[in-house]
Amino acid sequence: MKNKKTQIIAEIAQGFEGNPIYSQLFVKAAASAGADAVKFQLVYTDELATPDYKYYDLFKSLEMSDEVWQNISNLANENNISLHLDIFGERSLKLAEKLGVEAVKIHGTDIANKRLLNKVSQTKIKQVILGAGGALQSEIIEALEILKNKEIILLFGFQSYPTPNRDNHINRIQLAKDIFSKSYPSIKIGFADHASPETNIHLGFGAMAIGLGAEVLEKHLTLAKSMKMEDHESALNPDEFMDYVNFIHECESAFGDVTLQDDFGMSESELGYRKMIRRHVVTIDAVSQGEVFSSDNLALKRTSSTQAQSDMSEVIGKMASKSISSNSPVEF
């Protein structure tokens, strides 16, 4: 198993509040913090709700012109960070494809929206993040079947402002790998963390997720928690997000490069440790020249010898080439 590099997405969601300046600052903050991608919700209100819906006006305030989104895309390219967009209908999908984004996200609200899923499958967009928070297994399977021509990131986790720790069900990551990777071998499993930022529990959740097989992590980013911007409830400030990125990559470095060799592909330091702790074969009683070594006259102890045998099986049954005093290393 080769060392993997977890993809970390800085989730802005609605935090940009329809403000082009905020949006640009988010791109720069995400890139500076070491995120691999920055993700916004590309909102056109009438794709999401009817005018009588209670948050219709909020959605309306998030709309920005195509020119603004193009500027955001250009800025992401300049800062070497991928731009991902949540899309909610054909208009936002069309713009996302025009902008050449690497990935679009199908929000959990559209997991069963077959019309939209089919439209996404027909685009040139390479990667689809499939939001699985609140989704049934049967709905996921149907969506995966429609999107089987795409690279899929199946993303678990949901926003509950913030999500209670016990409700994350992180074990679902391992279960999903077992269930879906057989039919969709290229699928990646991800986890969207919405833990309270008031403690460091999000660090533990991220480590747990990659330990269970997650290859993508999504975490909310805000410009400043004190501003109480949209979706700030589970978000990190830019400096905290940088710490999060560094922590996750330090954790994944501990996976190591495991092989099927007898030593599992031990590192040089572990091989050195093995050499240091190995006991040497020593005599229990004095052994005469020509005497055959057996388990009755040998033991394992640490010695100062640099030539002593350490493998008992290599010694038993052989003949002593010289006399050896008791409690002495066997060297040959």
Side-chain angles (χ1 to χ4, degrees):
M1 172 179 158
K2 291 292 184 183
N3 276 333
K4 63 179 183 177
K5 184 177 184 300
T6 304
Q7 180 185 355
I8 300 178
I9 302 171
E11 168 70 303
I12 313 305
Q14 300 176 6
F16 64 101
E17 297 184 341
N19 186 314
I21 300 301
Y22 287 171
S23 302
Q24 293 176 8
L25 291 174
F26 270 121
V27 171
K28 292 180 180 179
S32 296
D36 299 290
V38 59
K39 186 166 72 63
F40 297 84
Q41 289 190 4
L42 177 49
V43 174
Y44 294 118
T45 310
D46 291 327
E47 290 185 334
L48 272 167
T50 57
D52 62 314
Y53 182 60
K54 62 180 178 179
Y55 294 127
Y56 184 87
D57 290 339
L58 169 63
F59 293 156
K60 203 71 177 174
S61 71
L62 297 172
E63 291 187 7
M64 297 193 299
S65 69
D66 291 6
E67 181 182 3
V68 168
W69 285 112
Q70 183 64 65
N71 290 338
I72 292 170
S73 177
N74 295 342
L75 185 63
N77 288 332
E78 291 169 11
N79 284 270
N80 297 312
I81 187 169
S82 295
L83 176 63
H84 295 174
L85 295 172
D86 286 69
I87 55 95
F88 301 96
E90 294 178 38
R91 182 181 175 188
S92 53
L93 174 61
K94 184 177 180 181
L95 178 57
E97 186 173 25
K98 180 182 177 182
L99 295 174
V101 299
E102 182 178 322
V104 294
K105 180 180 178 181
I106 303 296
H107 193 278
T109 193
D110 283 312
I111 189 75
N113 187 343
K114 294 182 181 179
R115 175 183 172 86
L116 180 59
L117 294 174
N118 277 297
K119 291 291 183 181
V120 171
S121 72
Q122 295 165 16
T123 67
K124 295 179 181 179
I125 296 169
K126 181 173 66 173
Q127 194 173 76
V128 176
I129 303 168
L130 187 61
L136 302 177
Q137 187 178 150
S138 56
E139 292 172 329
I140 293 171
I141 292 172
E142 288 188 14
L144 290 176
E145 202 49 37
I146 294 173
L147 297 169
K148 60 186 177 182
N149 64 328
K150 301 294 183 183
E151 297 176 9
I152 301 293
I153 297 171
L154 184 60
L155 191 71
F156 290 99
F158 69 100
Q159 173 72 289
S160 192
Y161 304 102
T163 302
N165 295 343
R166 65 183 178 275
D167 292 343
N168 281 282
H169 290 182
I170 296 177
N171 258 337
R172 202 175 297 178
I173 293 168
Q174 190 170 40
L175 179 64
K177 286 184 74 71
D178 293 340
I179 293 173
F180 300 118
S181 60
K182 296 173 184 176
S183 300
Y184 309 95
S186 63
I187 195 172
K188 292 181 179 180
I189 308 298
F191 176 64
D193 165 51
H194 298 94
S196 169
E198 301 308 315
T199 70
N200 284 329
I201 194 67
H202 61 278
L203 298 175
F205 288 170
M208 288 170 64
I210 63 173
L212 288 170
E215 298 181 69
V216 180
L217 295 178
E218 181 183 281
K219 182 63 182 171
H220 277 265
L221 172 67
T222 188
L223 296 179
K225 285 183 281 192
S226 60
M227 295 173 67
K228 297 189 183 301
M229 303 168 78
E230 285 293 323
D231 288 317
H232 75 280
E233 290 86 353
S234 57
L236 301 176
N237 287 336
D239 56 336
E240 294 171 324
F241 201 97
M242 181 182 292
D243 290 341
Y244 175 76
V245 170
N246 291 335
F247 179 86
I248 293 301
H249 290 323
E250 280 298 315
C251 285
E252 69 185 355
S253 71
F255 279 104
D257 294 329
V258 180
T259 72
L260 294 177
Q261 295 175 331
D262 192 36
D263 66 358
F264 301 107
M266 288 183 191
S267 64
E268 288 299 320
S269 61
E270 188 173 5
L271 288 170
Y273 171 77
R274 171 184 165 80
K275 184 176 181 180
M276 179 189 71
I277 66 168
R278 297 294 287 180
R279 297 187 186 190
H280 294 155
V281 180
V282 300
T283 56
I284 296 175
D285 300 311
V287 174
S288 303
Q289 182 178 4
E291 186 175 344
V292 176
F293 292 113
S294 71
S295 58
D296 293 331
N297 60 12
L298 297 174
L300 289 171
K301 297 183 181 181
R302 293 187 183 182
T303 75
S304 61
S305 173
T306 58
Q307 304 296 322
Q309 295 294 310
S310 59
D311 189 341
M312 185 79 79
S313 65
E314 292 292 322
V315 179
I316 291 176
K318 292 188 177 179
M319 189 179 295
S321 60
K322 61 181 180 178
S323 296
I324 306 173
S325 60
S326 64
N327 202 35
S328 298
V330 177
E331 301 176 343
F332 55 79

PDB file of all heavy atoms in Angstrom, residues 180-200:
ATOM      1  N   PHE A 180     -19.588  -0.592  -2.262  1.00  0.00           N
ATOM      2  CA  PHE A 180     -19.610   0.035  -3.584  1.00  0.00           C
ATOM      3  C   PHE A 180     -18.344  -0.168  -4.412  1.00  0.00           C
ATOM      4  O   PHE A 180     -18.403  -0.094  -5.636  1.00  0.00           O
ATOM      5  CB  PHE A 180     -19.879   1.535  -3.440  1.00  0.00           C
ATOM      6  CG  PHE A 180     -21.197   1.842  -2.769  1.00  0.00           C
ATOM      7  CD1 PHE A 180     -21.225   2.523  -1.560  1.00  0.00           C
ATOM      8  CD2 PHE A 180     -22.399   1.450  -3.335  1.00  0.00           C
ATOM      9  CE1 PHE A 180     -22.433   2.800  -0.929  1.00  0.00           C
ATOM     10  CE2 PHE A 180     -23.604   1.726  -2.718  1.00  0.00           C
ATOM     11  CZ  PHE A 180     -23.618   2.402  -1.511  1.00  0.00           C
ATOM     12  N   SER A 181     -17.199  -0.430  -3.764  1.00  0.00           N
ATOM     13  CA  SER A 181     -15.966  -0.529  -4.537  1.00  0.00           C
ATOM     14  C   SER A 181     -15.930  -1.775  -5.415  1.00  0.00           C
ATOM     15  O   SER A 181     -15.178  -1.824  -6.393  1.00  0.00           O
ATOM     16  CB  SER A 181     -14.752  -0.519  -3.604  1.00  0.00           C
ATOM     17  OG  SER A 181     -14.805  -1.604  -2.700  1.00  0.00           O
ATOM     18  N   LYS A 182     -16.741  -2.783  -5.097  1.00  0.00           N
ATOM     19  CA  LYS A 182     -16.772  -3.994  -5.925  1.00  0.00           C
ATOM     20  C   LYS A 182     -17.365  -3.699  -7.306  1.00  0.00           C
ATOM     21  O   LYS A 182     -16.860  -4.152  -8.330  1.00  0.00           O
ATOM     22  CB  LYS A 182     -17.568  -5.082  -5.221  1.00  0.00           C
ATOM     23  CG  LYS A 182     -16.947  -5.554  -3.908  1.00  0.00           C
ATOM     24  CD  LYS A 182     -17.857  -6.517  -3.163  1.00  0.00           C
ATOM     25  CE  LYS A 182     -17.272  -6.907  -1.815  1.00  0.00           C
ATOM     26  NZ  LYS A 182     -18.196  -7.776  -1.029  1.00  0.00           N
ATOM     27  N   SER A 183     -18.451  -2.939  -7.324  1.00  0.00           N
ATOM     28  CA  SER A 183     -19.117  -2.622  -8.593  1.00  0.00           C
ATOM     29  C   SER A 183     -18.534  -1.390  -9.261  1.00  0.00           C
ATOM     30  O   SER A 183     -18.619  -1.242 -10.483  1.00  0.00           O
ATOM     31  CB  SER A 183     -20.615  -2.406  -8.354  1.00  0.00           C
ATOM     32  OG  SER A 183     -21.218  -3.565  -7.812  1.00  0.00           O
ATOM     33  N   TYR A 184     -17.937  -0.509  -8.447  1.00  0.00           N
ATOM     34  CA  TYR A 184     -17.373   0.740  -8.975  1.00  0.00           C
ATOM     35  C   TYR A 184     -15.951   0.888  -8.445  1.00  0.00           C
ATOM     36  O   TYR A 184     -15.695   1.649  -7.512  1.00  0.00           O
ATOM     37  CB  TYR A 184     -18.242   1.933  -8.559  1.00  0.00           C
ATOM     38  CG  TYR A 184     -19.709   1.744  -8.885  1.00  0.00           C
ATOM     39  CD1 TYR A 184     -20.597   1.248  -7.927  1.00  0.00           C
ATOM     40  CD2 TYR A 184     -20.207   2.026 -10.154  1.00  0.00           C
ATOM     41  CE1 TYR A 184     -21.929   1.056  -8.234  1.00  0.00           C
ATOM     42  CE2 TYR A 184     -21.539   1.831 -10.469  1.00  0.00           C
ATOM     43  CZ  TYR A 184     -22.398   1.343  -9.493  1.00  0.00           C
ATOM     44  OH  TYR A 184     -23.720   1.140  -9.797  1.00  0.00           O
ATOM     45  N   PRO A 185     -14.994   0.156  -9.035  1.00  0.00           N
ATOM     46  CA  PRO A 185     -13.634   0.087  -8.478  1.00  0.00           C
ATOM     47  C   PRO A 185     -12.896   1.416  -8.430  1.00  0.00           C
ATOM     48  O   PRO A 185     -11.949   1.562  -7.653  1.00  0.00           O
ATOM     49  CB  PRO A 185     -12.927  -0.913  -9.409  1.00  0.00           C
ATOM     50  CG  PRO A 185     -13.765  -0.983 -10.638  1.00  0.00           C
ATOM     51  CD  PRO A 185     -15.166  -0.710 -10.212  1.00  0.00           C
ATOM     52  N   SER A 186     -13.308   2.389  -9.231  1.00  0.00           N
ATOM     53  CA  SER A 186     -12.602   3.679  -9.235  1.00  0.00           C
ATOM     54  C   SER A 186     -13.210   4.681  -8.261  1.00  0.00           C
ATOM     55  O   SER A 186     -12.733   5.819  -8.164  1.00  0.00           O
ATOM     56  CB  SER A 186     -12.603   4.273 -10.653  1.00  0.00           C
ATOM     57  OG  SER A 186     -13.929   4.546 -11.072  1.00  0.00           O
ATOM     58  N   ILE A 187     -14.246   4.295  -7.545  1.00  0.00           N
ATOM     59  CA  ILE A 187     -14.926   5.215  -6.642  1.00  0.00           C
ATOM     60  C   ILE A 187     -14.017   5.586  -5.468  1.00  0.00           C
ATOM     61  O   ILE A 187     -13.212   4.782  -5.003  1.00  0.00           O
ATOM     62  CB  ILE A 187     -16.244   4.597  -6.116  1.00  0.00           C
ATOM     63  CG1 ILE A 187     -17.138   5.672  -5.482  1.00  0.00           C
ATOM     64  CG2 ILE A 187     -15.970   3.489  -5.121  1.00  0.00           C
ATOM     65  CD1 ILE A 187     -18.530   5.149  -5.121  1.00  0.00           C
ATOM     66  N   LYS A 188     -14.124   6.823  -5.036  1.00  0.00           N
ATOM     67  CA  LYS A 188     -13.436   7.276  -3.832  1.00  0.00           C
ATOM     68  C   LYS A 188     -14.493   7.619  -2.789  1.00  0.00           C
ATOM     69  O   LYS A 188     -15.556   8.129  -3.122  1.00  0.00           O
ATOM     70  CB  LYS A 188     -12.569   8.503  -4.115  1.00  0.00           C
ATOM     71  CG  LYS A 188     -11.376   8.237  -5.014  1.00  0.00           C
ATOM     72  CD  LYS A 188     -10.551   9.495  -5.219  1.00  0.00           C
ATOM     73  CE  LYS A 188      -9.336   9.233  -6.105  1.00  0.00           C
ATOM     74  NZ  LYS A 188      -8.537  10.467  -6.306  1.00  0.00           N
ATOM     75  N   ILE A 189     -14.162   7.344  -1.542  1.00  0.00           N
ATOM     76  CA  ILE A 189     -15.073   7.675  -0.455  1.00  0.00           C
ATOM     77  C   ILE A 189     -14.521   8.886   0.287  1.00  0.00           C
ATOM     78  O   ILE A 189     -13.320   8.975   0.553  1.00  0.00           O
ATOM     79  CB  ILE A 189     -15.232   6.502   0.536  1.00  0.00           C
ATOM     80  CG1 ILE A 189     -15.596   5.216  -0.216  1.00  0.00           C
ATOM     81  CG2 ILE A 189     -16.297   6.839   1.577  1.00  0.00           C
ATOM     82  CD1 ILE A 189     -16.904   5.257  -0.957  1.00  0.00           C
ATOM     83  N   GLY A 190     -15.405   9.830   0.592  1.00  0.00           N
ATOM     84  CA  GLY A 190     -14.987  11.031   1.301  1.00  0.00           C
ATOM     85  C   GLY A 190     -15.851  11.288   2.520  1.00  0.00           C
ATOM     86  O   GLY A 190     -16.903  10.669   2.702  1.00  0.00           O
ATOM     87  N   PHE A 191     -15.385  12.220   3.336  1.00  0.00           N
ATOM     88  CA  PHE A 191     -16.118  12.584   4.548  1.00  0.00           C
ATOM     89  C   PHE A 191     -16.135  14.096   4.692  1.00  0.00           C
ATOM     90  O   PHE A 191     -15.087  14.750   4.637  1.00  0.00           O
ATOM     91  CB  PHE A 191     -15.475  11.954   5.782  1.00  0.00           C
ATOM     92  CG  PHE A 191     -16.122  12.363   7.083  1.00  0.00           C
ATOM     93  CD1 PHE A 191     -17.435  12.018   7.357  1.00  0.00           C
ATOM     94  CD2 PHE A 191     -15.411  13.096   8.024  1.00  0.00           C
ATOM     95  CE1 PHE A 191     -18.036  12.400   8.553  1.00  0.00           C
ATOM     96  CE2 PHE A 191     -15.997  13.471   9.222  1.00  0.00           C
ATOM     97  CZ  PHE A 191     -17.316  13.124   9.488  1.00  0.00           C
ATOM     98  N   ALA A 192     -17.341  14.650   4.854  1.00  0.00           N
ATOM     99  CA  ALA A 192     -17.512  16.075   5.083  1.00  0.00           C
ATOM    100  C   ALA A 192     -17.741  16.296   6.568  1.00  0.00           C
ATOM    101  O   ALA A 192     -18.759  15.879   7.115  1.00  0.00           O
ATOM    102  CB  ALA A 192     -18.700  16.604   4.267  1.00  0.00           C
ATOM    103  N   ASP A 193     -16.788  16.913   7.209  1.00  0.00           N
ATOM    104  CA  ASP A 193     -16.845  17.106   8.654  1.00  0.00           C
ATOM    105  C   ASP A 193     -17.570  18.408   8.996  1.00  0.00           C
ATOM    106  O   ASP A 193     -17.261  19.461   8.444  1.00  0.00           O
ATOM    107  CB  ASP A 193     -15.423  17.141   9.218  1.00  0.00           C
ATOM    108  CG  ASP A 193     -15.376  17.689  10.628  1.00  0.00           C
ATOM    109  OD1 ASP A 193     -16.150  17.195  11.463  1.00  0.00           O
ATOM    110  OD2 ASP A 193     -14.590  18.615  10.880  1.00  0.00           O
ATOM    111  N   HIS A 194     -18.541  18.309   9.889  1.00  0.00           N
ATOM    112  CA  HIS A 194     -19.290  19.497  10.327  1.00  0.00           C
ATOM    113  C   HIS A 194     -19.296  19.582  11.852  1.00  0.00           C
ATOM    114  O   HIS A 194     -20.292  19.955  12.470  1.00  0.00           O
ATOM    115  CB  HIS A 194     -20.718  19.462   9.783  1.00  0.00           C
ATOM    116  CG  HIS A 194     -20.788  19.493   8.291  1.00  0.00           C
ATOM    117  ND1 HIS A 194     -20.864  18.339   7.530  1.00  0.00           N
ATOM    118  CD2 HIS A 194     -20.780  20.518   7.408  1.00  0.00           C
ATOM    119  CE1 HIS A 194     -20.910  18.664   6.248  1.00  0.00           C
ATOM    120  NE2 HIS A 194     -20.859  19.983   6.148  1.00  0.00           N
ATOM    121  N   ALA A 195     -18.159  19.220  12.451  1.00  0.00           N
ATOM    122  CA  ALA A 195     -18.041  19.281  13.910  1.00  0.00           C
ATOM    123  C   ALA A 195     -17.896  20.729  14.369  1.00  0.00           C
ATOM    124  O   ALA A 195     -17.473  21.608  13.612  1.00  0.00           O
ATOM    125  CB  ALA A 195     -16.830  18.478  14.373  1.00  0.00           C
ATOM    126  N   SER A 196     -18.240  20.957  15.619  1.00  0.00           N
ATOM    127  CA  SER A 196     -18.063  22.284  16.200  1.00  0.00           C
ATOM    128  C   SER A 196     -16.590  22.660  16.186  1.00  0.00           C
ATOM    129  O   SER A 196     -15.729  21.855  16.561  1.00  0.00           O
ATOM    130  CB  SER A 196     -18.587  22.309  17.635  1.00  0.00           C
ATOM    131  OG  SER A 196     -18.197  23.514  18.279  1.00  0.00           O
ATOM    132  N   PRO A 197     -16.258  23.885  15.782  1.00  0.00           N
ATOM    133  CA  PRO A 197     -14.854  24.308  15.767  1.00  0.00           C
ATOM    134  C   PRO A 197     -14.348  24.730  17.147  1.00  0.00           C
ATOM    135  O   PRO A 197     -13.183  25.103  17.290  1.00  0.00           O
ATOM    136  CB  PRO A 197     -14.877  25.498  14.801  1.00  0.00           C
ATOM    137  CG  PRO A 197     -16.232  26.093  14.967  1.00  0.00           C
ATOM    138  CD  PRO A 197     -17.156  24.921  15.228  1.00  0.00           C
ATOM    139  N   GLU A 198     -15.205  24.670  18.135  1.00  0.00           N
ATOM    140  CA  GLU A 198     -14.817  25.128  19.472  1.00  0.00           C
ATOM    141  C   GLU A 198     -13.873  24.154  20.172  1.00  0.00           C
ATOM    142  O   GLU A 198     -13.242  24.505  21.162  1.00  0.00           O
ATOM    143  CB  GLU A 198     -16.065  25.358  20.324  1.00  0.00           C
ATOM    144  CG  GLU A 198     -17.032  26.386  19.738  1.00  0.00           C
ATOM    145  CD  GLU A 198     -16.339  27.701  19.383  1.00  0.00           C
ATOM    146  OE1 GLU A 198     -15.541  28.192  20.209  1.00  0.00           O
ATOM    147  OE2 GLU A 198     -16.585  28.222  18.279  1.00  0.00           O
ATOM    148  N   THR A 199     -13.809  22.927  19.697  1.00  0.00           N
ATOM    149  CA  THR A 199     -12.845  21.952  20.213  1.00  0.00           C
ATOM    150  C   THR A 199     -12.014  21.467  19.037  1.00  0.00           C
ATOM    151  O   THR A 199     -12.242  21.864  17.888  1.00  0.00           O
ATOM    152  CB  THR A 199     -13.552  20.750  20.861  1.00  0.00           C
ATOM    153  OG1 THR A 199     -14.179  19.972  19.832  1.00  0.00           O
ATOM    154  CG2 THR A 199     -14.604  21.213  21.859  1.00  0.00           C
ATOM    155  N   ASN A 200     -11.062  20.590  19.313  1.00  0.00           N
ATOM    156  CA  ASN A 200     -10.242  20.023  18.232  1.00  0.00           C
ATOM    157  C   ASN A 200     -10.763  18.676  17.761  1.00  0.00           C
ATOM    158  O   ASN A 200     -10.028  17.913  17.133  1.00  0.00           O
ATOM    159  CB  ASN A 200      -8.785  19.886  18.691  1.00  0.00           C
ATOM    160  CG  ASN A 200      -8.056  21.219  18.712  1.00  0.00           C
ATOM    161  OD1 ASN A 200      -8.357  22.100  17.908  1.00  0.00           O
ATOM    162  ND2 ASN A 200      -7.116  21.371  19.618  1.00  0.00           N
TER     163      ASN A 200
END
